[in-house]
Amino acid sequence: MPHITLNSDEPGIRGLFRFRPETALPLNELAEVLLCGESTLSRGERELIGAYVSALNACRFCYSTHAAIAAVQLGEDLVLVEQVRADVNRAPISDKLKALLAIAGAVQESGQKVSEQHVTTAKEAGATDIEIHDTVLIAAAFCMFNRYVDGLDTFAPDDPAVYAARAQRTDGYLAVLADSLRLG
């Protein structure tokens, strides 16, 4: 039961966006740029970073949503995402992505936990300054999104099909927001 009375029964952040649409637009614009915008990291890799941070923050709604999207965008099933969640160092992903996820994990603890060694390791694995920048910003943004969702105790469905259905939408966060607000 959410801590505040929402004007929607939509789960997670979607209910919060409907409650306060004036904050929904800038938050979705940020998500659109970070996760769907032009990047040398694939959309799936960026979604995986968001899912990983959400797992570290134990945010069930955000993890389930972005894990499902990452799986679709990576052309994989949830097994890969769960492998990353369980042990990023043993997961079958590139060394560059492992290094970026280590940076994301450090950001999740505290921005001050990102060390020169994290950055050096990522660069040695082929990460660019922009990819490192975007990883830090994705991780920081997801910490905010996770705390927003859990801080107001929003509803997170148990049914994986709810998240799988959302993951099929490939037209980005602004399109999903527009549809959500129009349908309400």
Side-chain angles (χ1 to χ4, degrees):
M1 186 80 159
H3 293 311
I4 60 174
T5 303
L6 300 176
N7 55 351
S8 166
D9 61 354
E10 289 186 80
I13 204 164
R14 294 192 326 248
L16 298 173
F17 287 161
R18 184 167 306 278
F19 177 76
R20 196 107 155 95
E22 59 274 25
T23 63
L25 182 59
L27 292 174
N28 276 272
E29 287 174 333
L30 178 62
E32 184 82 16
V33 168
L34 292 176
L35 302 174
C36 303
E38 194 173 313
S39 177
T40 52
L41 294 174
S42 73
R43 182 167 177 199
E45 290 169 327
R46 291 176 282 163
E47 291 283 354
L48 185 60
I49 292 166
Y52 180 68
V53 170
S54 296
L56 294 174
N57 283 324
C59 182
R60 190 164 59 97
F61 177 81
C62 293
Y63 172 74
S64 299
T65 298
H66 294 281
I69 296 170
V72 166
Q73 291 295 320
L74 291 167
E76 298 281 342
D77 56 26
L78 282 173
V79 171
L80 174 66
V81 180
E82 285 295 326
Q83 288 173 313
V84 168
R85 178 184 187 173
D87 186 349
V88 69
N89 293 315
R90 292 182 186 230
I93 57 175
S94 71
D95 288 341
K96 178 173 92 171
L97 190 52
K98 287 177 184 177
L100 292 173
L101 288 168
I103 290 171
V107 169
Q108 182 271 334
E109 284 185 60
S110 164
Q112 295 174 344
K113 295 286 184 175
V114 179
S115 69
E116 190 60 41
Q117 185 59 54
H118 284 113
V119 173
T120 298
T121 300
K123 286 183 176 185
E124 287 174 352
T128 66
D129 285 347
I130 291 174
E131 291 169 339
I132 293 166
H133 170 277
D134 289 358
T135 296
V136 169
L137 188 51
I138 291 167
F142 269 83
C143 286
M144 176 187 63
F145 293 139
N146 299 160
R147 285 159 179 77
Y148 183 37
V149 166
D150 287 343
L152 288 167
D153 197 25
T154 63
F155 167 68
D158 292 323
D159 185 358
V162 172
Y163 305 104
R166 165 57 186 94
Q168 297 306 312
R169 295 279 311 256
T170 59
D171 48 352
Y173 291 90
L174 292 174
V176 171
L177 175 66
D179 287 348
S180 176
L181 294 177
R182 187 173 28 257
L183 297 173

